[in-house]
mmCIF file of all heavy atoms in Angstrom:
data_model
loop_
_atom_site.group_PDB
_atom_site.id
_atom_site.type_symbol
_atom_site.label_atom_id
_atom_site.label_comp_id
_atom_site.label_asym_id
_atom_site.label_seq_id
_atom_site.Cartn_x
_atom_site.Cartn_y
_atom_site.Cartn_z
ATOM 1 N N PHE A 89 126.058 109.670 102.158
ATOM 2 C CA PHE A 89 126.717 108.564 102.881
ATOM 3 C C PHE A 89 128.059 109.041 103.386
ATOM 4 O O PHE A 89 128.771 109.777 102.670
ATOM 5 C CB PHE A 89 126.929 107.334 101.997
ATOM 6 C CG PHE A 89 125.656 106.679 101.518
ATOM 7 C CD1 PHE A 89 125.670 105.891 100.355
ATOM 8 C CD2 PHE A 89 124.469 106.818 102.192
ATOM 9 C CE1 PHE A 89 124.517 105.265 99.901
ATOM 10 C CE2 PHE A 89 123.299 106.180 101.759
ATOM 11 C CZ PHE A 89 123.326 105.424 100.602
ATOM 12 N N ALA A 90 128.462 108.592 104.578
ATOM 13 C CA ALA A 90 129.752 108.975 105.117
ATOM 14 C C ALA A 90 130.867 108.355 104.275
ATOM 15 O O ALA A 90 131.949 108.968 104.091
ATOM 16 C CB ALA A 90 129.879 108.512 106.554
ATOM 17 N N ASN A 91 130.614 107.200 103.694
ATOM 18 C CA ASN A 91 131.662 106.478 102.983
ATOM 19 C C ASN A 91 131.085 105.872 101.695
ATOM 20 O O ASN A 91 130.875 104.679 101.587
ATOM 21 C CB ASN A 91 132.176 105.383 103.958
ATOM 22 C CG ASN A 91 133.569 104.963 103.611
ATOM 23 O OD1 ASN A 91 134.117 105.356 102.579
ATOM 24 N ND2 ASN A 91 134.126 104.110 104.465
ATOM 25 N N PRO A 92 130.848 106.733 100.695
ATOM 26 C CA PRO A 92 130.149 106.272 99.478
ATOM 27 C C PRO A 92 131.089 105.675 98.456
ATOM 28 O O PRO A 92 132.197 106.141 98.248
ATOM 29 C CB PRO A 92 129.537 107.562 98.938
ATOM 30 C CG PRO A 92 130.494 108.646 99.396
ATOM 31 C CD PRO A 92 131.126 108.181 100.665
ATOM 32 N N HIS A 93 130.644 104.634 97.775
ATOM 33 C CA HIS A 93 131.380 104.048 96.669
ATOM 34 C C HIS A 93 130.397 103.827 95.531
ATOM 35 O O HIS A 93 129.415 103.117 95.721
ATOM 36 C CB HIS A 93 132.063 102.727 97.061
ATOM 37 C CG HIS A 93 133.296 102.941 97.866
ATOM 38 N ND1 HIS A 93 133.286 103.556 99.085
ATOM 39 C CD2 HIS A 93 134.608 102.680 97.592
ATOM 40 C CE1 HIS A 93 134.515 103.643 99.542
ATOM 41 N NE2 HIS A 93 135.337 103.121 98.630
ATOM 42 N N SER A 94 130.681 104.420 94.362
ATOM 43 C CA SER A 94 129.656 104.430 93.292
ATOM 44 C C SER A 94 130.184 103.858 91.991
ATOM 45 O O SER A 94 131.392 103.759 91.764
ATOM 46 C CB SER A 94 129.218 105.857 93.010
ATOM 47 O OG SER A 94 128.835 106.542 94.179
ATOM 48 N N ILE A 95 129.227 103.557 91.109
ATOM 49 C CA ILE A 95 129.524 103.202 89.709
ATOM 50 C C ILE A 95 128.561 104.007 88.832
ATOM 51 O O ILE A 95 127.403 104.217 89.237
ATOM 52 C CB ILE A 95 129.406 101.679 89.476
ATOM 53 C CG1 ILE A 95 129.807 101.359 88.013
ATOM 54 C CG2 ILE A 95 128.000 101.149 89.737
ATOM 55 C CD1 ILE A 95 130.068 99.879 87.773
ATOM 56 N N LEU A 96 129.059 104.471 87.685
ATOM 57 C CA LEU A 96 128.198 105.163 86.726
ATOM 58 C C LEU A 96 127.802 104.181 85.649
ATOM 59 O O LEU A 96 128.654 103.463 85.112
ATOM 60 C CB LEU A 96 128.958 106.342 86.089
ATOM 61 C CG LEU A 96 129.469 107.397 87.081
ATOM 62 C CD1 LEU A 96 130.314 108.426 86.351
ATOM 63 C CD2 LEU A 96 128.278 108.067 87.764
ATOM 64 N N LEU A 97 126.499 104.153 85.342
ATOM 65 C CA LEU A 97 125.985 103.246 84.331
ATOM 66 C C LEU A 97 125.143 104.055 83.342
ATOM 67 O O LEU A 97 125.376 105.252 83.246
ATOM 68 C CB LEU A 97 125.178 102.092 85.017
ATOM 69 C CG LEU A 97 126.046 101.257 85.973
ATOM 70 C CD1 LEU A 97 125.202 100.514 86.983
ATOM 71 C CD2 LEU A 97 126.910 100.279 85.187
ATOM 72 N N THR A 98 124.237 103.409 82.646
ATOM 73 C CA THR A 98 123.472 104.171 81.619
ATOM 74 C C THR A 98 122.012 104.332 82.064
ATOM 75 O O THR A 98 121.615 105.358 82.576
ATOM 76 C CB THR A 98 123.569 103.511 80.236
ATOM 77 O OG1 THR A 98 123.165 102.155 80.340
ATOM 78 C CG2 THR A 98 125.013 103.596 79.725
ATOM 79 N N THR A 99 121.196 103.282 81.906
ATOM 80 C CA THR A 99 119.773 103.457 82.217
ATOM 81 C C THR A 99 119.451 103.094 83.655
ATOM 82 O O THR A 99 120.278 102.438 84.337
ATOM 83 C CB THR A 99 118.903 102.573 81.292
ATOM 84 O OG1 THR A 99 119.264 101.198 81.573
ATOM 85 C CG2 THR A 99 119.145 102.874 79.845
ATOM 86 N N GLY A 100 118.242 103.425 84.068
ATOM 87 C CA GLY A 100 117.816 103.059 85.424
ATOM 88 C C GLY A 100 117.719 101.542 85.558
ATOM 89 O O GLY A 100 118.081 100.976 86.592
ATOM 90 N N SER A 101 117.248 100.875 84.494
ATOM 91 C CA SER A 101 117.111 99.422 84.555
ATOM 92 C C SER A 101 118.493 98.757 84.743
ATOM 93 O O SER A 101 118.638 97.816 85.516
ATOM 94 C CB SER A 101 116.497 98.870 83.264
ATOM 95 O OG SER A 101 115.274 99.496 83.011
ATOM 96 N N GLU A 102 119.487 99.293 84.048
ATOM 97 C CA GLU A 102 120.831 98.735 84.190
ATOM 98 C C GLU A 102 121.317 98.907 85.653
ATOM 99 O O GLU A 102 121.954 98.033 86.216
ATOM 100 C CB GLU A 102 121.813 99.424 83.223
ATOM 101 C CG GLU A 102 123.165 98.727 83.207
ATOM 102 C CD GLU A 102 124.252 99.520 82.443
ATOM 103 O OE1 GLU A 102 124.019 100.697 82.110
ATOM 104 O OE2 GLU A 102 125.321 98.946 82.231
ATOM 105 N N ALA A 103 120.981 100.078 86.229
ATOM 106 C CA ALA A 103 121.476 100.351 87.565
ATOM 107 C C ALA A 103 120.778 99.493 88.621
ATOM 108 O O ALA A 103 121.406 98.976 89.563
ATOM 109 C CB ALA A 103 121.295 101.831 87.873
ATOM 110 N N THR A 104 119.455 99.303 88.491
ATOM 111 C CA THR A 104 118.760 98.448 89.487
ATOM 112 C C THR A 104 119.231 96.996 89.328
ATOM 113 O O THR A 104 119.428 96.273 90.309
ATOM 114 C CB THR A 104 117.223 98.558 89.367
ATOM 115 O OG1 THR A 104 116.847 98.370 87.994
ATOM 116 C CG2 THR A 104 116.713 99.881 89.870
ATOM 117 N N GLU A 105 119.487 96.568 88.070
ATOM 118 C CA GLU A 105 120.036 95.199 87.857
ATOM 119 C C GLU A 105 121.382 95.076 88.582
ATOM 120 O O GLU A 105 121.674 94.071 89.215
ATOM 121 C CB GLU A 105 120.277 94.930 86.363
ATOM 122 C CG GLU A 105 119.025 94.818 85.509
ATOM 123 C CD GLU A 105 118.336 93.461 85.608
ATOM 124 O OE1 GLU A 105 118.789 92.591 86.338
ATOM 125 O OE2 GLU A 105 117.271 93.328 84.935
#
Side-chain angles (χ1 to χ4, degrees):
F89 295 157
N91 204 352
H93 283 63
S94 308
I95 184 165
L96 301 174
L97 298 160
T98 55
T99 63
S101 305
E102 188 191 11
T104 49
E105 292 281 0

